[in-house]
Amino acid sequence: MENLHLLNIYARLCEQANNFKFSWPVAFVYNPLSYAWDGFRQYMKYSGGRKRVVFLGMNPGPWGMAQTGIPFGEVNAVREFLGITSIRIIHPDNEQVSYPVHGLDCDRSEVSGKRLWGLFQNKFGTAENFFADNFVLNYCPLLFIANTEKGSLRNFTPDKLAPSERSRLCELCDFALMDAINILKPEYVVSIGNFAYERAKTALIGERVSITKILHPSPANPHANKDWAGKAEHQLISSGVWQ
């Protein structure tokens, strides 16, 4: 059953994030919590109850959450593992031709999401087994598309934003994360990559939760392209999250 308090936290964060403006090289900003809220709301059916572990990603990927509204929401994993087969999408006003939003009709696979949800499927078998004690959230709700020096466009992560813009955005995301963790009351927050780890340590200082991390599954991370699942599982066992 969906957690209405958690939904309200992210509805508020969505509205706040829509008011931000970003400077060069950011050219386009997508907020999937706005145009793909239906997917996120359906995903929240798994949010009920206390969670032992919360996995924390950085921000939406262009072929994952930007398509479905679901953290690491690779379309095949959303359909086959999460069991969400229909999502109502309202196309973003600033939709860019190189980064179109097709929802579950997207014909591209987000490698990060495929790897992450594949790890959970191999470990737990079903979504119901996984979500009994686990949940996945993203720290920042926004996808950034930036100009390059050659005039093309590329995915742009929040750690690369101008310091003043990053600071203001992180302040809102920190509060949302803290509120979410106070509701879910996990023993562990497992940050997926270094940025999420640093933000979790800042936002959750003083909270009674163990913060650890695993290697980010993005193919942009060279260490992730050979046996990422084995490395991540080893990290989870070493930190006591998994047995």
Side-chain angles (χ1 to χ4, degrees), residues 5 40 55 93 103 122-123 168 173 205 225 243:
H5 295 296
F40 185 74
F55 291 85
D93 292 336
N122 288 338
K123 174 73 172 178
R168 289 190 300 117
C173 296
I205 189 169
N225 292 323
Q243 296 181 355

Side-chain angles (χ1 to χ4, degrees), residues 20-33:
F20 273 75
K21 304 296 181 184
F22 299 93
S23 58
W24 192 93
V26 175
F28 300 91
V29 180
Y30 289 9
N31 185 351
L33 287 185

Side-chain angles (χ1 to χ4, degrees), residues 115-131:
R115 288 173 173 172
L116 186 72
W117 291 113
L119 174 69
F120 298 151
Q121 185 169 15
N122 288 338
K123 174 73 172 178
F124 294 93
T126 67
E128 287 72 20
N129 287 342
F130 172 74
F131 287 108

Side-chain angles (χ1 to χ4, degrees), residues 15 31 65 68 70 72 75 83 88 91 102 110 116 129 131 144 147 159 170-171 179 187 204 221 228 232 241:
E15 183 178 354
N31 185 351
M65 185 174 177
T68 64
I70 296 168
F72 291 89
V75 293
R88 184 172 63 89
H91 289 271
H102 296 305
E110 183 187 68
L116 186 72
N129 287 342
F131 287 108
F144 303 98
N147 290 299
D159 55 309
C170 284
E171 184 177 0
D179 288 345
E187 295 177 33
L204 302 176
N221 181 355
W228 173 83
V241 178

